Structure formats: structure tokens, C-alpha cells
């Protein structure tokens, strides 16, 4: 059994990097408990319909855009900025894809590449004004929200439909079931591909958590207690296995869009944790001037963050258009608020410099469970918005109170 290591307090009485990560672990454990509590609550209130297999598949497919956008938004928020234009970018990209496929008769893979390129150009445009001219991101992206919404309305004068089945399958379909079904009296018919992916994901989570704990111990980073560590890790594993089991019972099996999300999580978790660019983002958000004086190319890295955000917003636009089976000018309305809320619920600090991709995904899942749970209960949309707003305020208040308690915010 490992022993928690408590390093001396930093001279300026501010938490060290290790203490901040330990705090994030504690916050993430609370998020998992909150997510499990919400699932149990809505499972009871809906008479068991929340965890119906097809409802879980719908939860993933309907909220895929939140997960994709929140990954990019987490990078932006960690760097100390905000992006209000992602919802409008989603709508504009839908128009680009719709015109390319339905009017220019471009193949759907090329249309997706075109959409990603346009999304990257959106990021280049906004990153230039923010990083190199020094205009606050709030102003630039607020202007972008209006500009790209206008472009969306120009591109999509009327709803564009008639997409090929392979494109629509991205947002609505599932992986081919080449492993067949298991059929046991107690478990029922379970899609073999979903079962395999779920088991591999649970095993990878267990291995990665133990490896990170060993690395943290070797670097004298404060460790959470063994009980908290194993409770959090087992909680994640149980959630993954439960998700895989219920998805395996669904009509179609493992959603295609969940593969895209899993790949994005793996890539951007690696980028933030294991690359110089990732460490620079934390440094820029934690203290912009100090990062600049220490040799970080803050303008270049801030520019890159917005290019990534634009590209991910384009990917979300592709998924949303595929899911709807049509391009509409009104798509993406309020999506930026969903992504921002998911990040702050997931532990991002309002002052920048703190956050994790896993936290953003947990925040997006909490938003997704709220969305589908309240929809099943037929709660009025106005009340749904009010409830989600209250959850966001409570999450940010918890973050600020936690910082004041730790002495990192006066």
C-alpha cells in the first residue's frame, strides 16, 4: 500500500502544480459521484426508462456535439480564453457540407475534409486577432458568432437534404456486428463488438490509472488516499462496463460517433498531459506574463489553441448534420453555452490554467443525462434551461469556494 506524500508548502503559500492536480482528482471523484447520483435519480423518476438500451445510444448520439465541442473548449478555457462562436460555426459547417454533397456532388469523405479545412480557417481567423493583435477572445468570438451565423443563413437559404447513407451513418449508425451476439438466459442478446470494446476500455482505464499513480509517486506529486483512488477508478470502470452492457443490448450496438469521441479523448488527453504544447497551455492560462518570461511562445500556442477549436467545431458540425440528415441555418443554437457549461461543471477554472479532458467529458455526460432525463419526464423546455443554469452556477460556486478554502483565491 502506497503512502500519501505531502510536500512542503510553496514559499508564496500558493498551491503547487502537484497540489492542483490532487485537487482535480478530488473534484473528478465528486463529479463521478454526482453523475452516478443523477443516473440513479432519473432511473427512479423515469421508471427505469433512462437506462433503457436504446435511450443510452440516443444519449450518446444526441449529445455527441457537446462532448466534441467541450474537448476544444476545455483547451480554450485552460489557456484563459472563451469561444462564443462554436454554435454558429457548427451551423456554417453544416451549410458547407450540405452544399458540397448535395449541390457540388462531392463525395462525402472529401466534403468532410473540406469542412475540417474551413473549420481550421475559422480558427486561424479568430486566433490571429486574439493572439497577435491582442483583442480579447470574448470580443473576437462574439463577433465570430454573428459573422458565422450570418454565413450559415446565406449558405443554407433552404434546408439541404439528400445525403448518402454512409454519411448519415456517422451520426446515427453503429459499428458492424462482425462478432455476433452472446445469448445467455440471464444477460440476453449482447452485441459482441460492444462487449469487446467495453472490456478493453475498462482494462485500459485500470492500467492507465495505476501507471499514472506510480509516475506521480516517483515525482513526489501528492497522492490521494488509496481508498479515494480505488473508489474513483472502480467507479469509472463500473460506469464503462455498465455503458457497454446496456449499449450491447440496444437495437444497433456500438454507435459510430462514440468511436470518434473515444479517439478525440485519447489524442487530446495525451496532448495536454504529455506534450510541451499541453504544458504551455496550462502555463499560459495559469500566468500569461510568467509564461512569456519563461520562454513560452504564448502567441503561437494561443493561435494553435483556436485553430484546434475551429477544427473540432467543424467536426461537431459534420456530426450534427449527419445526425439530422439535413443542413439547416438554425443548427447549433446555444451549443456554445452547452460546451462552456460542460467544461465548468467538469472542473475548469474560471481564471484559466486548470482543467482536464476527462472532466469536460464528465461534465458533458452530466449535461446529457439532465437533457435526456428531463425530456423523458416531459419537463417544460423553459424549466430544463433553468435547471441546467442552476447546475452551472453551483458548479462554478463550488470551484471558487474550493479555491478560497485552499488559499489560491483571495
Amino acid at each position: 500500500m502506497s503512502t500519501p506524500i505531502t510536500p512542503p508548502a510553496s514559499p508564496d503559500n500558493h498551491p503547487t502544480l502537484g497540489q492542483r492536480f490532487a485537487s482535480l482528482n478530488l473534484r473528478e471523484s465528486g463529479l463521478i459521484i454526482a453523475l452516478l447520483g443523477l443516473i440513479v435519480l432519473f432511473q427512479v423518476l423515469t421508471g427505469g426508462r433512462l437506462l433503457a438500451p436504446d435511450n443510452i445510444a440516443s444519449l450518446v448520439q444526441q449529445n455527441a456535439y457537446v462532448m466534441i465541442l467541450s474537448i476544444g473548449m476545455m483547451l480554450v478555457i485552460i489557456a484563459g480564453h472563451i469561444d462564443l462562436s462554436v454554435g454558429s460555426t457548427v451551423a456554417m459547417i453544416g451549410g458547407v457540407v450540405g452544399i458540397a454533397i448535395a449541390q457540388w456532388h462531392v463525395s462525402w469523405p472529401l466534403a468532410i475534409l473540406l469542412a475540417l479545412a474551413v473549420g481550421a480557417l475559422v480558427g486561424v481567423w479568430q486566433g490571429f486577432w486574439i493572439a497577435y493583435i491582442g483583442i480579447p477572445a470574448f470580443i473576437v468570438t462574439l463577433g465570430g458568432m454573428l459573422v458565422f451565423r450570418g454565413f450559415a443563413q446565406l449558405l443554407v437559404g433552404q434546408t439541404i437534404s439528400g445525403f448518402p447513407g454512409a454519411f448519415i451513418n456517422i451520426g446515427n449508425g453503429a459499428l458492424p456486428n462482425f462478432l455476433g451476439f452472446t445469448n445467455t438466459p440471464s444477460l440476453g442478446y449482447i452485441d459482441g463488438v460492444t462487449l469487446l470494446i467495453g472490456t478493453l476500455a475498462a482494462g485500459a482505464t485500470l492500467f492507465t490509472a495505476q501507471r499514472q499513480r506510480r509516475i506521480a509517486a516517483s515525482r513526489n506529486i501528492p497522492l490521494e488516499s488509496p481508498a479515494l483512488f480505488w473508489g474513483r477508478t472502480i467507479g469509472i470502470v463500473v460506469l464503462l462496463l455498465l455503458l457497454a452492457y446496456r449499449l450491447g443490448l440496444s437495437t444497433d450496438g456500438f454507435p459510430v460517433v462514440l468511436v470518434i469521441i473515444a479517439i478525440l479523448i485519447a489524442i487530446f488527453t495525451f496532448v495536454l498531459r504529455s506534450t510541451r504544447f499541453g504544458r504551455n497551455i496550462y502555463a499560459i492560462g495559469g500566468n500569461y506574463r510568467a509564461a512569456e518570461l519563461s520562454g513560452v511562445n504564448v502567441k503561437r500556442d494561443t493561435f494553435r489553441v483556436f485553430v484546434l477549436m475551429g477544427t473540432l467545431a467543424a467536426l461537431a458540425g459534420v456530426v450534427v448534420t449527419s445526425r439530422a440528415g439535413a443542413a439547416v441555418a438554425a443548427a447549433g443554437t446555444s451549443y456554445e453555452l452547452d460546451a462552456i457549461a460542460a467544461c465548468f461543471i467538469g472542473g475548469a477554472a474560471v481564471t484559466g490554467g486548470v482543467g482536464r479532458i476527462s472532466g469536460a467529458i464528465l461534465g458533458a455526460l452530466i449535461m446529457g443525462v439532465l437533457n435526456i432525463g428531463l425530456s423523458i419526464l416531459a419537463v417544460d423546455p423553459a424549466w430544463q434551461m433553468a435547471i441546467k443554469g442552476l447546475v452551472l452556477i453551483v458548479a462554478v460556486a463550488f470551484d471558487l469556494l474550493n479555491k478560497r478554502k485552499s488559499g489560491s483565491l483571495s
Side-chain angles (χ1 to χ4, degrees), residues 15-66:
T16 63
L17 183 63
Q19 287 170 328
R20 293 167 72 181
F21 275 95
S23 175
L24 275 177
N25 284 339
L26 185 62
R27 176 71 184 266
E28 204 166 282
S29 302
L31 282 174
I32 294 170
I33 294 172
L35 178 59
L36 289 172
L38 269 180
I39 291 173
V40 171
L41 175 65
F42 280 114
Q43 180 72 355
V44 172
L45 292 177
T46 60
R49 284 181 291 167
L50 177 73
L51 292 182
D54 285 349
N55 278 342
I56 294 182
S58 295
L59 186 153
V60 172
Q61 291 169 335
Q62 289 177 8
N63 294 280
Y65 75 89
V66 185

Side-chain angles (χ1 to χ4, degrees), residues 18-319:
Q19 287 170 328
R20 293 167 72 181
F21 275 95
S23 175
L24 275 177
N25 284 339
L26 185 62
R27 176 71 184 266
E28 204 166 282
S29 302
L31 282 174
I32 294 170
I33 294 172
L35 178 59
L36 289 172
L38 269 180
I39 291 173
V40 171
L41 175 65
F42 280 114
Q43 180 72 355
V44 172
L45 292 177
T46 60
R49 284 181 291 167
L50 177 73
L51 292 182
D54 285 349
N55 278 342
I56 294 182
S58 295
L59 186 153
V60 172
Q61 291 169 335
Q62 289 177 8
N63 294 280
Y65 75 89
V66 185
M67 299 183 204
I68 296 171
L69 291 176
S70 65
I71 289 172
M73 192 66 76
M74 184 59 92
L75 300 182
V76 172
I77 292 175
I78 290 174
H81 300 285
I82 202 77
D83 192 337
L84 301 176
S85 68
V86 293
S88 298
T89 305
V90 165
M92 185 180 72
I93 292 299
V96 171
V97 172
I99 290 174
I101 295 178
Q103 297 181 10
W104 296 347
H105 304 293
V106 172
S107 67
W108 64 267
L110 282 179
I112 291 176
L113 290 177
L114 176 63
L116 295 180
V118 173
L121 284 177
V122 167
V124 167
W125 168 259
Q126 299 195 129
F128 169 75
W129 294 110
I130 295 166
Y132 291 106
I133 304 300
I135 302 176
F138 178 84
I139 302 298
V140 173
T141 59
L142 181 62
M145 181 174 69
L146 300 174
V147 169
F148 304 135
R149 180 63 65 184
F151 285 163
Q153 293 175 353
L154 290 172
L155 290 172
V156 192
Q158 293 182 331
T159 299
I160 303 173
S161 58
F163 300 139
F167 178 76
I168 293 176
N169 196 49
I170 295 172
N172 299 280
L175 294 181
N177 179 17
F178 56 87
L179 292 179
F181 293 89
T182 64
N183 182 21
T184 58
S186 57
L187 298 178
Y189 284 96
I190 304 177
D191 174 45
V193 172
T194 305
L195 200 59
L196 175 64
I197 293 175
T199 304
L200 290 175
T205 299
L206 199 58
F207 172 78
T208 304
Q210 288 182 298
R211 181 174 178 271
Q212 289 174 350
R213 187 173 174 84
R214 283 197 302 271
I215 293 174
S218 68
R219 296 177 180 175
N220 289 336
I221 293 176
L223 299 178
E224 57 195 340
S225 68
L228 187 58
F229 168 76
W230 284 111
R232 181 168 57 88
T233 305
I234 290 174
I236 295 173
V237 169
V238 168
L239 269 176
L240 288 173
L241 291 176
L242 177 64
L243 176 67
Y245 171 64
R246 301 302 290 180
L247 273 178
L249 292 172
S250 65
T251 304
D252 295 324
F254 199 88
V256 172
V257 74
L258 194 51
V259 178
I260 298 173
I261 293 169
I263 292 172
L264 291 177
I265 292 172
I267 291 174
F268 284 95
T269 298
F270 174 78
V271 167
L272 275 182
R273 286 185 175 177
S274 307
T275 68
R276 176 177 294 180
F277 173 59
R279 291 189 289 273
N280 287 349
I281 295 175
Y282 282 109
I284 293 169
N287 190 321
Y288 184 93
R289 183 61 179 158
E292 192 173 36
L293 291 174
S294 64
V296 175
N297 191 333
V298 294
K299 292 181 179 178
R300 182 195 62 191
D301 288 335
T302 301
F303 178 80
R304 289 177 174 177
V305 165
F306 279 92
V307 173
L308 287 172
M309 180 73 260
T311 308
L312 286 171
L315 182 58
V318 170
V319 170

Side-chain angles (χ1 to χ4, degrees), residues 2-17:
S2 58
T3 303
I5 299 170
T6 306
S10 56
D12 58 358
N13 205 30
H14 284 275
T16 63
L17 183 63

